[in-house]
Amino acid sequence: MTETKTARLLSKIVYLFGAFSKFDFFSHLEELFQEAFGEVLFSFIAFDGQAAFDGQAAFDGQKGDGQGPMQLEFSNFSGLPRGGDCEQPAQILNFKEAFQHAGGGPVGRARPEAQLQLGDRMIPISWAKLIEVAGKKFGWIAFHSPFTGLEADRQELEAFIFDHVAVALFRLYDRESIQTQLDHSLAKLEAINCIGGLIGSLELEVLLARLMEISLFISSAQVGSVILKEEDRLVSRVEWGLNLENALKLRFVNGDSILERTIARGEPQLISNYQDPDQFQPADGIHVQSCMCIPLVSKGKLLGAVFLINSANNDGRFTKTDQDSILTMSGLAATAIENAILYKVALDRERISASLKIAQSIQKGMYPKEPPRVPGYQIAWINSSCEETGGDYFDFILPNPKELFITIGDVSGHGIGAALLMATGRANLRALCSVKKDVGDIVASLNTLLESDLDEDKFMTFFLSRLSLEDHCLEFVNAGHDTPLVYSADRQIITDLDSTGFPLGLFPEAGYDLLKAGPLGVGDVLLLTTDGVWEGSNASKQRFGKERLRETFKQHASLSPEHLLTAIHQEVIQYVDGSKFHDDLTMVAIKRVS
């Protein structure tokens, strides 16, 4: 071989080492082979995926025997795709029979039955060379007829060329692998950076949508969803082609849901092959090749999970690298999500608190601002709600100088709903008292009006009395309310004003009996309360009780109404000893003083 040809061969080998893409590499390789062997037809068949297999075992019934997964990456054979990116599935048929073994490994000469199979097409192989470096095997360069290798006296050149081709190909694949890993690492860092930029964000919906977007990007998943655990149920907050119903269909063969196992254990689940019938149940209506479910955990608290299905890479299968990337990112995201949830809760509480304060102000404005001026009587009250607003109601209506309507009521429950119903009852009652005189008619009409406003589980206990300021007698209707008490100063006894009908709002046509009491003597006291007074409980869950209320009332009945109520209130507070009140508390005292 002339020095000029040798120089040309060396220059073309140098070009191989400088190639940065498969296309460039195989173009230079074709030029090298033309210079060394003449016009030859050849193909490069790479071992598929993780294309290198170590050791002789690869050629003894394993993937390297030609029957395992391989792919055509280049061919200049007529009709086959050219370039380094064709990557068609391929097999070498009759591999063991076709290739002679020498020195413990497959080399060189092929028998006539050797063929390259590409789909339905069969292409004869006349000669082939295994490409390997340091025991790592990349694939075969297969030559097609009529080339059968160099003559015996030129095999040293042949060995020289293929040794350098193998090293150059190794460098190319290694460079591509490093570049792929670098690209993946950069993508991972970019995603983490994106999540890092969101940690300061307190917009929960924005965070969740961005988490879904970045998870799909990092993993190349085709569908997915972000699912949060809200109280005792799972809620799909962001869906990209995967709803909660379908996510729950993916189950292990024992019936356990992949999603629910992730939530229960707080551990990631990576399923690289969901098609294994020995491990997983079929998912009706969903094609699943692979899936992974990554928990969202912040400070030991499980918030939910990211569920991803079917990678766009690796034949649809997720890898451990995919899982690790999502785990890293989800750890940062979970902290941001928890902060956003807490912020939202705080905002909601602040908003509700502001609304309740407004409602409380309105409600307080409906209560009497000062006792009515009634000759011969002193009147006082105490009212406190266990929340910002309550359902207790009391009022005094003085339609004329001869009579005083006194009322107290309690809407079931408490809070803003009860307060609104109390306000409705107050408005209706004032309107009725201006047109009706009979206490029984007033209460019956009020019941009919409230029944249409109250839910089925709501009602209102109610007491209405009309005190004659001429003969000091009481006419009253007690619609299921706590029994009002009348203390007689002369006899030093307490009389109960018992219930005369059902609470309001239960039965639209209910009737109410009118009863009378009195007359009230000088020193006599009428005490009206709601059940929040005697239901106050201590740390042992024991109530203050009705009997203790009666005794305290009797003990302090000689006091002014204001001091009487203060004494009762102090007794109740002392009894509960710091325990929380679970109901509204209202007391009204009317005492005849002359």
Side-chain angles (χ1 to χ4, degrees), residues 441-497:
D441 288 346
I442 292 173
V443 175
S445 298
L446 181 60
N447 174 65
T448 301
L449 292 170
L450 286 181
E451 194 276 335
S452 61
D453 291 331
L454 291 170
D455 295 332
E456 290 184 358
D457 60 341
K458 293 290 185 180
F459 59 88
M460 180 179 185
T461 63
F462 186 73
F463 175 86
L464 177 64
S465 67
R466 182 164 62 89
L467 173 63
S468 171
L469 301 179
E470 294 181 328
D471 61 12
H472 308 289
C473 289
L474 284 169
E475 294 180 344
F476 69 90
V477 167
N478 186 348
H481 192 74
D482 264 32
T483 302
L485 305 176
V486 178
Y487 174 76
S488 171
D490 288 343
R491 295 182 292 167
Q492 296 186 346
I493 62 171
I494 293 176
T495 302
D496 297 344
L497 305 184

Side-chain angles (χ1 to χ4, degrees), residues 86-121:
C86 55
E87 298 184 352
Q88 292 188 6
Q91 283 188 327
I92 298 176
L93 299 185
N94 305 317
F95 180 90
K96 290 185 178 179
E97 297 80 6
F99 291 94
Q100 299 174 359
H101 287 62
V107 296
R109 312 296 182 262
R111 296 175 182 173
E113 59 267 31
Q115 290 181 310
L116 172 64
Q117 180 183 18
L118 295 170
D120 296 333
R121 188 171 183 181

Side-chain angles (χ1 to χ4, degrees), residues 344-374:
K344 186 176 184 300
V345 169
L347 276 184
D348 290 344
R349 286 178 178 170
E350 184 177 337
R351 191 178 299 113
I352 291 171
S353 178
S355 298
L356 289 176
K357 286 179 180 178
I358 293 173
Q360 182 184 43
S361 176
I362 294 172
Q363 184 181 24
K364 291 296 184 184
M366 294 181 182
Y367 289 139
K369 293 179 175 58
E370 59 182 19
R373 299 182 182 278
V374 180

Side-chain angles (χ1 to χ4, degrees), residues 550-571:
R550 294 171 70 91
E551 292 173 358
T552 306
F553 175 34
K554 186 175 182 179
Q555 179 181 354
H556 299 286
S558 61
L559 301 176
S560 68
E562 182 178 355
H563 290 99
L564 165 64
L565 296 183
T566 299
I568 296 174
H569 195 210
Q570 289 298 322
E571 287 283 340

